[in-house]
Amino acid sequence: MNGDNNGDKAPWEVKKGLRAVESSNGVHMFSPYSTATGLYGQRFTEIKDLPMMEGISREQFGADTTLQNQILDMRWRGDIPNVPAMTSNAMRYQKEYPNQIGNLTFNELAMLSNLTGRQRGREYFASKRPGYTGPPFKMPQPNKTPEEYIARIREALKQKKQDAKNLQNKVPYAAAANNPKAYNKQITFLDNLLSGKSSFIDKIMNKDIKRK
């Protein structure tokens, strides 16, 4: 393991953000420019020799979202040989470039490293230091710039929160209309949308129990 194990699985917002920016939420599962594959744009050349990938082609991997999530969680923890943990990357950026990371959160720094890799990420933040005299930082084309990458992630997460808010306004009405089937369907959808971590779900369920 490459150390810095901060949690067993990548947080929901990391997966949601990477899905949006890397594959347009599953629309583009195979990059024509590299071996980036699946929801999260994971490079097949980096993972093809992992034990669980034995006998798995790039096409099969691109169709197996369960396996994609498993390997992203490994990347988050640092369980992929010779690939630094996303958590480790974020911590390193925070430590080495505290005045250059601006308002980027820990999870955003980790996601950014999915684009840049650890070293290129360091080069990006180093280029933002006062008095930097090296060449302008550029990502290999046709990649997004770090700024574009983070902007797309934030847009996706903002939309998810708005979707959740809109659904919150609908759930009580299904219950009020005495339509248990629709109510349970909405609760299940909300639970999936928020990865089972919404206090709102508990609030609604508790109110429903009390009402009965």
Side-chain angles (χ1 to χ4, degrees), residues 143-206:
N143 287 296
K144 292 178 173 62
T145 66
E147 293 80 7
E148 291 170 338
Y149 198 79
I150 293 298
R152 179 67 186 98
I153 288 170
R154 288 179 172 177
E155 177 186 4
L157 294 177
K158 181 179 179 181
Q159 183 60 50
K160 179 166 183 175
K161 291 176 182 178
Q162 184 59 49
D163 290 344
K165 182 177 180 180
N166 292 340
L167 191 58
Q168 287 177 13
N169 294 330
K170 296 177 181 179
V171 171
Y173 295 105
N178 195 27
N179 188 340
K181 185 176 181 180
Y183 175 64
N184 289 333
K185 183 177 180 180
Q186 290 172 338
I187 284 291
T188 300
F189 179 70
L190 181 61
D191 187 41
N192 291 334
L193 186 68
L194 300 178
S195 300
K197 298 180 179 179
S198 173
S199 60
F200 172 77
I201 297 173
D202 295 333
K203 185 186 299 183
I204 288 295
M205 295 299 286
N206 288 336

Side-chain angles (χ1 to χ4, degrees), residues 5 43 52 76 78 80 88-89 93 100 112-113 122 129 162 172 174 183:
N5 184 343
R43 293 180 182 87
M52 71 282 297
W76 177 257
I80 300 177
S88 175
N89 293 336
Y93 299 152
Q100 284 71 50
L112 183 61
S113 74
R122 295 180 70 210
R129 282 175 167 161
Q162 184 59 49
Y183 175 64

